[in-house]
Amino acid sequence: MTVESTRKVSEAIALMAKVGRCWSPSFAPDGSELAFVSDLTGNPQVWRTPAAGGFPAAVTAFDEQVSRVIWSPDADWLAVESAPGGGMNSQIDIVRPDGSERRRMTTGGISNNWLGGWSKDGQSVFYSSNVDTLDSMACFRRTIGAGAAEKLTSDGGTATVEDISADGSKLLIKRVAYRGDSNIFLLEAPAWRERLLTAHEPPASFENARLSDDERAVFVISNHDADLTCLCRRSLENGAHWETFRARGDAELAEFALSSDGELAALVWNIAGRHELELLGLADREIRPVGELPGEIVESLRFSPDGSTLVMCITGARTPQDIWLLGIDSGSCQQLTRSPHAGVDLEQLVDARLLEYRAHDGLALTGWHYAPRSGNAPYPTVLSFHGGPEGQEQPRFRYDYQALLAQGIAIFAPNVRGSSGFGKRFVNLDNGALRFDAIQDIDSTAQFLIDSGLAEAGRLGIMGGSYGGYMTMAGMAAFPDLFAAGVNLYGVVNFKTFFKRTEPWMASISKIEYGDPDTEGDLLDALSPIHKLAQVKAPTLVLHGANDTNVPVQEAEQVVAALRERELPVEYILFPDEGHGFYNEQNRVTAAAAIVSWFAKYL
């Protein structure tokens, strides 16, 4: 490759990594404007834009990366969740809609804080925090201008504020006992005693709890008496039972929103990773069709205050994430934000194709295949594993995928056992010792690609982030002759050190998923790639954020030290201003360039 062609490739990769995104839309109380988060300037911050369309105005210029924003019901404030250095110690501030008068609502430091919502009078912010007990998240209320925050729930588990009644006297709280099992509680002022609404035999999930418009019932997403999640409803009368309000046999319910007048619900159904939007009349349960949307993934649903418009984030394999508005009566969908993609022709990007195959034990698996526009199969191919492990691979815009594809490298992104979106049984098939079967799925996936002629032995790579990084290292250790190169992005390699150093609340809810370090140490050792790195043969690229408290940086350091001792080709990139994932624009550029060059070199 000439110097000029190398320069052009580098420029193309940089442009792809600079493609922006917008998320967290929140209507102003009168519906005239929306606040949202965008990385338009390279660092995620809060912006405002008219609901009728127009150029957005910057609201914040924090040093921290902003993750979420909610407009107060009285229009006076915006509540902003941000992450110093990209770490998990998120803090909550309030600012005026013009960005002035920033006030910190949380205590700072190492505490984790998650924004829950506003009281309807706009005077109090509700949030979750582990400021008192690091191994659990409790719910708090902080009133503007008041002193210390008021603690509303007891410690234990991971509690989040789901919904708040109009007068602020009732709260719906979700508490995660462990990953895969949760409950909803009703709290009522002034004592804030917790009333369990979801007594059940574990495991079952209860998510996205919302009060009905008359506040006499609760809607929730659950799989408590089914394999697939669905919309359930329960009266708040004592002795009432949950009823299945809307279910589908071919899809899981991923998200829903209720209009303020109580007439309509917007439902997002997950079908093997692709979304469908549906409008449901709450009185007659009539389904109102929604036309085809401009992307495969729909999320962050919010009705406008008058119920005439539904705002949502839409993305897809070739569609950067932006905010769109759906007219409820007209059915028309209009793009509100336009994330920058300078120098990138979206029409030339690659779509994803869903493929089905079988695991070693006959279990049905699926994955998304991205084939380069140039060349023919078998392609040099990278297997990409999602995080979680209860995450799901979906056809979302991925700058690293498209950058690899532009260089003639195919992507296959599977949903192996343990992935969400395929039912309660499937997501629990990798718990504890069952994880050995999930590792075996790596080999089944690779053999499927080879047998189908899409890939060939000797030109397979593997990569993933977080739990996907674990699968990357586990795959290279278990099947050392299968992969020519690997990229581990902030992955777990040693479950014992993970439990010791991760956020304590994360450790406490992960013992069913991975194994209990107090009683199942031998299992954790057997599952940890760190003890099998002597078998790894593939050159390995490791990328990590220095401020990562989910998967602490020591996980990366263990891999790098062990592989360098064996004199394998290893490259290590540490980002000093990132946590669990890479959000700053220049870091995305650096990461994409490193990933593409690594696989181009070895595949």
Side-chain angles (χ1 to χ4, degrees):
M1 185 178 289
T2 67
V3 173
E4 179 62 18
S5 60
T6 300
R7 182 186 64 79
K8 289 183 177 179
V9 168
S10 298
E11 288 179 353
I13 294 170
L15 290 172
M16 195 70 70
K18 291 179 180 179
V19 173
R21 64 190 184 108
C22 299
W23 67 96
S24 188
S26 179
F27 274 107
D30 63 2
S32 64
E33 289 185 278
L34 286 103
F36 62 96
V37 180
S38 175
D39 56 8
L40 180 65
T41 59
N43 186 35
Q45 296 295 315
V46 178
W47 296 73
R48 288 168 49 192
T49 188
F55 196 81
V59 174
T60 63
F62 294 178
D63 292 332
E64 302 93 329
Q65 299 170 8
V66 173
S67 57
R68 193 175 179 207
V69 61
I70 305 178
W71 213 311
S72 69
D74 63 359
D76 288 344
W77 297 97
L78 299 174
V80 180
E81 181 181 315
S82 62
M88 293 190 73
N89 59 322
S90 296
Q91 303 299 323
I92 298 167
D93 296 270
I94 58 173
V95 298
R96 296 294 187 183
D98 64 0
S100 63
E101 295 187 45
R102 179 180 181 180
R103 301 184 191 179
R104 175 61 52 87
M105 302 297 282
T106 49
T107 59
I110 64 171
S111 65
N112 293 191
N113 303 275
W114 305 334
L115 182 57
W118 286 93
S119 61
K120 296 302 186 285
D121 63 4
Q123 296 304 300
S124 298
V125 173
F126 292 84
Y127 62 95
S128 301
S129 180
N130 66 345
V131 65
D132 285 348
T133 307
L134 292 178
D135 64 358
S136 66
M137 300 289 291
C139 297
F140 292 79
R141 177 176 64 181
R142 177 75 183 273
T143 300
I144 297 174
E150 177 186 7
K151 191 173 184 178
L152 306 177
T153 64
S154 58
D155 294 318
T158 301
T160 53
V161 179
E162 297 283 284
D163 202 8
I164 305 157
S165 67
D167 63 2
S169 66
K170 297 185 183 72
L171 300 179
L172 292 179
I173 301 295
K174 181 181 78 173
R175 178 174 282 112
V176 177
Y178 59 84
R179 296 163 78 152
D181 191 76
S182 55
N183 277 298
I184 303 298
F185 295 83
L186 175 68
L187 277 65
E188 295 186 83
W192 301 113
R193 292 189 181 92
E194 300 181 10
R195 173 185 164 195
L196 177 64
L197 300 180
T198 53
H200 68 278
E201 289 294 326
S205 64
F206 294 86
E207 312 279 346
N208 292 49
R210 298 291 182 268
L211 290 163
S212 61
D213 66 310
D214 61 8
E215 300 183 358
R216 297 172 62 184
V218 177
F219 289 91
V220 70
I221 298 174
S222 184
N223 56 10
H224 70 285
D225 61 356
D227 187 47
L228 301 178
T229 55
C230 57
L231 184 64
C232 298
R233 182 185 180 278
R234 182 195 189 279
S235 167
L236 288 179
E237 295 180 1
N238 286 318
H241 298 286
W242 287 97
E243 63 165 321
T244 299
F245 198 84
R246 170 68 176 141
R248 285 175 54 166
D250 65 337
E252 285 212 305
L253 185 60
E255 184 179 346
F256 75 96
L258 304 176
S259 62
S260 60
D261 59 11
E263 295 184 359
L264 202 61
L267 312 180
V268 174
W269 295 98
N270 182 338
I271 307 173
R274 183 180 280 116
H275 287 170
E276 285 186 7
L277 178 63
E278 176 181 280
L279 297 178
L280 172 69
L282 293 177
D284 56 16
R285 305 198 189 189
E286 180 182 349
I287 305 300
R288 297 175 55 174
V290 176
E292 185 175 352
L293 297 175
E296 297 95 326
I297 303 298
V298 183
E299 54 197 5
S300 301
L301 306 178
R302 301 287 186 276
F303 279 96
S304 60
D306 64 2
S308 66
T309 305
L310 182 70
V311 67
M312 57 196 139
C313 294
I314 296 179
T315 185
R318 298 191 302 121
T319 308
Q321 182 169 285
D322 268 306
I323 297 170
W324 294 70
L325 297 175
L326 176 71
I328 299 302
D329 292 333
S330 67
S332 63
C333 195
Q334 297 183 346
Q335 187 172 359
L336 184 65
T337 64
R338 297 185 181 274
S339 293
H341 53 87
V344 176
D345 183 356
L346 301 181
E347 295 298 320
Q348 296 302 309
L349 301 184
V350 174
D351 271 323
R353 179 167 64 109
L354 185 66
L355 300 180
E356 300 179 4
Y357 60 106
R358 294 282 172 176
H360 63 283
D361 56 359
L363 181 69
L365 302 176
T366 61
W368 295 94
H369 187 249
Y370 301 74
R373 287 186 173 271
S374 60
N376 298 294
Y379 306 100
T381 300
V382 173
L383 273 62
S384 177
F385 288 88
H386 63 69
E390 62 277 76
Q392 185 183 29
E393 186 68 37
Q394 297 179 305
R396 298 173 178 270
F397 179 81
R398 288 279 300 261
Y399 65 85
D400 51 351
Y401 286 9
Q402 296 295 341
L404 286 164
L405 289 159
Q407 302 309 310
I409 299 174
I411 304 290
F412 188 71
N415 281 306
V416 299
R417 71 192 70 207
S419 303
S420 62
F422 302 91
K424 179 166 56 178
R425 175 181 175 273
F426 192 89
V427 79
N428 286 295
L429 283 178
D430 68 344
N431 289 354
L434 295 177
R435 196 161 312 281
F436 292 113
D437 285 327
I439 294 171
Q440 195 64 40
D441 287 346
I442 300 172
D443 181 61
S444 300
T445 301
Q447 297 306 324
F448 160 71
L449 293 172
I450 293 169
D451 293 344
S452 62
L454 293 172
E456 61 183 339
R459 291 206 297 168
L460 276 177
I462 184 171
M463 76 173 185
S466 192
Y467 181 77
Y470 166 82
M471 290 291 276
T472 295
M473 300 312 303
M476 289 195 294
F479 313 107
D481 296 318
L482 195 55
F483 298 107
V487 175
N488 168 17
L489 297 100
Y490 42 93
V492 176
V493 294
N494 185 334
F495 278 122
K496 283 185 175 178
T497 55
F498 164 78
F499 272 105
K500 182 179 180 180
R501 295 189 174 109
T502 190
E503 293 286 346
W505 61 264
M506 175 67 76
S508 69
I509 65 173
S510 298
K511 295 177 181 180
I512 299 295
E513 179 69 53
Y514 298 131
D516 190 332
D518 297 326
T519 60
E520 298 176 291
D522 290 344
L523 172 63
L524 294 180
D525 282 340
L527 288 169
S528 296
I530 192 65
H531 303 300
K532 303 173 185 178
L533 293 185
Q535 299 166 214
V536 173
K537 298 179 180 179
T540 304
L541 170 65
V542 179
L543 303 98
H544 215 105
N547 302 321
D548 192 343
T549 57
N550 184 346
V551 179
V553 71
Q554 289 89 349
E555 296 296 299
E557 293 170 347
Q558 293 178 72
V559 172
V560 173
L563 295 182
R564 281 179 176 169
E565 185 176 347
R566 295 184 49 228
E567 298 184 350
L568 277 179
V570 179
E571 184 175 336
Y572 180 34
I573 300 176
L574 180 66
F575 296 104
D577 56 347
E578 295 283 10
H580 197 61
F582 312 139
Y583 296 92
N584 289 323
E585 183 180 275
Q586 187 52 54
N587 295 337
R588 298 200 308 267
V589 172
T590 299
I595 292 168
V596 173
S597 63
W598 194 258
F599 284 127
K601 179 179 180 179
Y602 291 106
L603 300 189

